[in-house]
Amino acid sequence: MKRTIFGNQGLPWLLLAPQLAVTLVFFLWPAGQAVRQSFLREDAFGLKTSFIGLENYAALFRDPQYLNSMQVTAVFSLAVAALSLGLALLLALALDRMLGSARIYTTLLVWPYAVAPVVAGIMWWFIFNPTIGIMPHMLRALGYDWNHGLDGSDAMVLVVIAASWKQISYNFLFFVAGLQAIPASLREAAAIDGAGPVRRFLTITLPLLSPTTFFLLVVNITYTLFDTFPVIHATTEGGPAQATNILVYKVFNDGFLGLNLGSSAAQSVILMAIVIALTVIQFRWIERRVEY
Amino acid sequence: MVEHRPILTLVAHLVLILGVLTVAFPVWLAFVASTHDSTAFGSGVIPLWPGTHGVETYRVMLGQGISTSGAPPLLRMMANSLLMALIIACGKIAISITSAFAIVYFRFPLRTLAFWAIFITLMLPVEVRIVPTFKVVADLGLLNRYAGLTVPLIASATATFLFRQVFLTIPDELMEAARIDGAGPMKFFRDMLIPLSRTNIAALFVILFIYGWNQYLWPLLVTTDAKFYTIVAGIKRMAEVADAVPQWNFVMAAAVLAMLPPVLVVVLMQRLFVKGLVETEK
């Protein structure tokens, strides 16, 4: 809050107008349409619509494909979060021991942030190509026949690796910042008391890092829920047999290709509820951090 | 470092080198693939060392594109991407900085409501409301236009919050002094606030440029005319062909070209990039 302000009444509206116009036309109005649409049923020709209450939602929760999609999304999200957070923490801990070479390692580790998810997806898709890819070639030597076009879990592993690869750099930067914020005196005192590196990590570093970890967990879940759409779209397209059909891909698929508007709208509304919940969690956490 | 343990330091170096190699591995293979002839992908395993057709591949892709799959020359797609990224980044910064100015330096009715209207955009990513948003843009006749490609993505709660945060740390005395000297609100905004938030603008620009360049779903839906294709959204169309006809060298060349500009921005402006990343997540 500012103590002193400008007195004009019209000017602030003029300054806000562009942002509010874009927000109203492209955010609030479509979101409102999605909510309205989710209570309606439209016939095949779009001529007649009727109000059906929560029927679209009820249908979704009876639909085994939707329930499967929820499960797939949960597995995908948690796998990507665990893999990218784990590797990023390991790299950040290693970097924490570096003195002179920290900068060059950081440069060499952060650039994948700038790579578009679709490019990450295409590159890993190429590496795992069942006929000529290098990974299936190596796996075959180990006696495993890789084919993400036929095997659902192979496809899931592929999209998890592609999505995590891109996210490591982001998590790494925040873990490095989190580690630097831990006072060195704490670890030194523990070292004087005879605690080894493992013990110090478990009793000092990890607990003091937990706000960062929690924040990153929320960010990573948001990332896997929405920003990984291109990875799925460019590689597995939700298949084989729905094995990688995450919620955000299904909304797109049902709305644009299946043209099932009511169901797609209901799915949109459910996703919005998930984002709102995640945003609220994230902001509450930030309030807490301020007290820290 | 708390104590001297050479073995641990060695392990740390090993972990980091392994990490750097893992992260670079797919990009290396993509680059290698783009330097080979199409015949290299017929059978066997993908090549691991660069071939001799690199110059040719990139020349064909930049100048002609793949005619068989209707992919236009990549140079044009990259120009479209650049334009889209610049409009989105500059547009977001422009409308957010004025919004933050209005919210911080004025008191007017419905101020809180305006603030919440902007805040709520944070909770409505485009993927979630894709069908109705597409309909709005189609109804407005903005398909296959640069305006349709950029304007719907231009609202930004994060940027508005960032500038609000910056303005709140600027001492009140500065504004009082400006007022005593007879400066109106717009003069104060132009001569005081913008210069004072220069580094924040630059850091935000780096993040938003990457965001704009990497847009995928939205350009994919809004552009059906090849004149407006962006490179990131165009990759999928090329990859679909590669599945049937092994043109992996062309697809990987497109992947390399699609990631080059944003990666260069991160590497060359690392300090601003890190600042922008940390600030926008506050």
Side-chain angles (χ1 to χ4, degrees):
Chain A
M1 273 307 192
K2 290 279 175 190
R3 263 186 295 127
T4 49
I5 46 158
F6 289 108
N8 311 43
Q9 287 297 302
L11 188 61
W13 285 110
L14 212 63
L15 290 165
L16 277 168
Q19 176 100 292
L20 287 181
V22 173
T23 303
L24 280 179
V25 175
F26 299 111
F27 285 76
L28 299 180
W29 170 257
Q33 285 295 307
V35 173
R36 196 181 72 94
Q37 192 84 240
S38 73
F39 298 115
L40 299 177
R41 174 182 291 141
E42 203 167 308
D43 69 12
F45 306 102
L47 298 173
K48 210 168 71 102
T49 49
S50 45
F51 181 81
I52 52 166
L54 291 171
E55 182 46 39
N56 281 325
Y57 294 93
L60 275 181
F61 287 101
R62 282 194 307 265
D63 179 5
Q65 279 200 4
Y66 191 72
L67 298 175
N68 169 62
S69 175
M70 280 195 146
Q71 198 191 336
V72 164
T73 309
V75 170
F76 177 65
S77 263
L78 293 176
V80 171
L83 188 63
S84 62
L85 282 174
L87 289 177
L89 180 59
L90 185 68
L91 290 168
L93 286 170
L95 191 89
D96 209 37
R97 288 194 77 82
M98 298 298 143
L99 299 169
S101 48
R103 225 190 117 88
I104 178 83
Y105 277 127
T106 307
T107 307
L108 290 172
L109 285 168
V110 298
W111 57 267
Y113 174 85
V115 177
V118 60
V119 174
I122 290 278
M123 286 192 301
W124 285 101
W125 192 46
F126 176 56
I127 290 168
F128 279 102
N129 182 296
T131 38
I132 60 164
I134 177 92
M135 292 307 268
H137 186 73
M138 280 154 67
L139 289 169
R140 221 170 291 133
L142 296 171
Y144 184 81
D145 195 18
W146 173 278
N147 193 340
H148 56 251
L150 297 173
D151 187 307
S153 34
D154 284 0
M156 178 58 92
V157 170
L158 170 69
V159 289
V160 165
I161 290 177
S164 310
W165 175 80
K166 202 196 121 55
Q167 195 62 7
I168 290 174
S169 53
Y170 182 93
N171 297 340
F172 169 76
L173 274 175
F174 277 84
F175 272 136
V176 168
L179 284 172
Q180 280 168 355
I182 297 174
S185 56
L186 285 178
R187 282 187 274 182
E188 279 158 13
I192 292 168
D193 287 348
V198 177
R199 178 102 191 256
R200 284 204 303 272
F201 171 71
L202 291 175
T203 56
I204 296 172
T205 313
L206 205 55
L208 286 176
L209 215 51
S210 61
T212 308
T213 314
F214 181 66
F215 160 75
L216 284 176
L217 190 65
V218 176
V219 171
N220 278 278
I221 289 175
T222 315
Y223 161 78
T224 52
L225 285 182
F226 307 103
D227 298 342
T228 50
F229 171 89
V231 176
I232 307 279
H233 186 242
T235 60
T236 62
E237 296 191 320
Q242 315 278 333
T244 53
N245 197 358
I246 60 172
L247 291 171
V248 65
Y249 188 75
K250 196 169 157 53
V251 170
F252 162 81
N253 219 29
D254 291 358
F256 274 100
L257 308 176
L259 290 175
N260 189 345
L261 290 182
S263 170
S264 176
Q267 293 180 36
S268 282
V269 174
I270 293 173
L271 277 176
M272 280 182 220
I274 296 175
V275 203
I276 290 170
L278 285 170
T279 316
V280 169
I281 293 172
Q282 195 176 333
F283 271 72
R284 295 214 48 161
W285 171 79
I286 283 165
E287 311 247 300
R288 247 197 21 225
R289 187 176 60 164
V290 175
E291 288 170 31
Y292 226 91
Chain B
M1 209 161 43
V2 180
E3 65 211 328
H4 187 63
R5 290 204 189 211
I7 307 244
L8 262 188
T9 309
L10 187 72
V11 171
H13 272 292
L14 277 178
V15 165
L16 286 168
I17 290 168
L18 221 67
V20 168
L21 291 179
T22 314
V23 155
F25 175 64
V27 176
W28 170 253
L29 287 185
F31 170 71
V32 166
S34 72
T35 62
H36 280 269
D37 190 58
S38 308
T39 50
F41 309 100
S43 60
V45 72
I46 55 178
L48 298 177
W49 291 104
T52 52
H53 291 81
V55 179
E56 195 193 319
T57 312
Y58 285 98
R59 198 169 47 78
V60 169
M61 286 306 275
L62 284 170
Q64 300 161 8
I66 320 176
S67 46
T68 46
S69 62
L74 288 198
L75 213 51
R76 163 124 212 167
M77 293 166 94
M78 289 177 85
N80 282 338
S81 286
L82 183 68
L83 195 62
M84 177 175 77
L86 288 177
I87 296 177
I88 290 179
C90 296
K92 270 181 188 265
I93 289 173
I95 70 174
S96 299
I97 200 166
T98 55
S99 304
F101 178 50
I103 286 171
V104 173
Y105 282 95
F106 296 86
R107 291 284 168 280
F108 52 93
L110 303 179
R111 179 171 155 274
T112 322
L113 187 72
F115 182 77
W116 280 101
I118 296 169
F119 180 75
I120 217 147
T121 60
L122 206 61
M123 305 178 176
L124 301 169
V126 70
E127 287 82 4
V128 167
R129 54 191 164 78
I130 192 74
V131 181
T133 313
F134 178 78
K135 195 167 175 310
V136 168
V137 173
D139 290 346
L140 290 173
L142 293 176
L143 297 182
N144 284 319
R145 275 167 195 271
Y146 289 114
L149 208 50
T150 53
V151 175
L153 302 174
I154 241 167
S156 177
T158 7
T160 310
F161 288 169
L162 172 67
F163 286 123
R164 179 177 163 265
Q165 222 57 43
V166 173
F167 293 166
L168 286 175
T169 61
I170 291 175
D172 287 1
E173 288 75 13
L174 212 60
M175 183 198 155
E176 285 156 17
R179 273 232 297 229
I180 290 168
D181 288 347
M186 287 323 284
K187 187 162 177 57
F188 173 69
F189 177 66
R190 201 178 55 230
D191 293 349
M192 288 287 188
L193 291 185
I194 291 186
L196 281 172
S197 32
R198 213 173 37 216
T199 45
N200 303 90
I201 293 176
L204 194 60
F205 181 84
V206 170
I207 300 296
L208 294 178
F209 178 84
I210 297 168
Y211 166 86
W213 181 278
N214 286 346
Q215 281 304 312
Y216 179 75
L217 177 58
W218 189 246
L220 200 67
L221 292 174
V222 174
T223 61
T224 47
D225 181 343
K227 267 200 322 217
F228 295 96
Y229 283 177
T230 64
I231 184 158
V232 169
I235 282 183
K236 155 105 175 155
R237 294 188 183 97
M238 293 176 228
E240 263 167 0
V241 183
D243 227 8
V245 193
Q247 284 180 322
W248 285 107
N249 50 336
F250 291 134
V251 179
M252 288 300 134
V256 170
L257 289 173
M259 71 179 123
L260 202 57
V263 167
L264 277 182
V265 166
V266 166
V267 172
L268 297 178
M269 295 182 226
Q270 196 180 327
R271 190 162 295 172
L272 279 178
F273 160 69
V274 173
K275 183 176 158 66
L277 201 62
V278 173
E279 276 178 350
T280 47
E281 288 300 349
K282 262 183 197 160

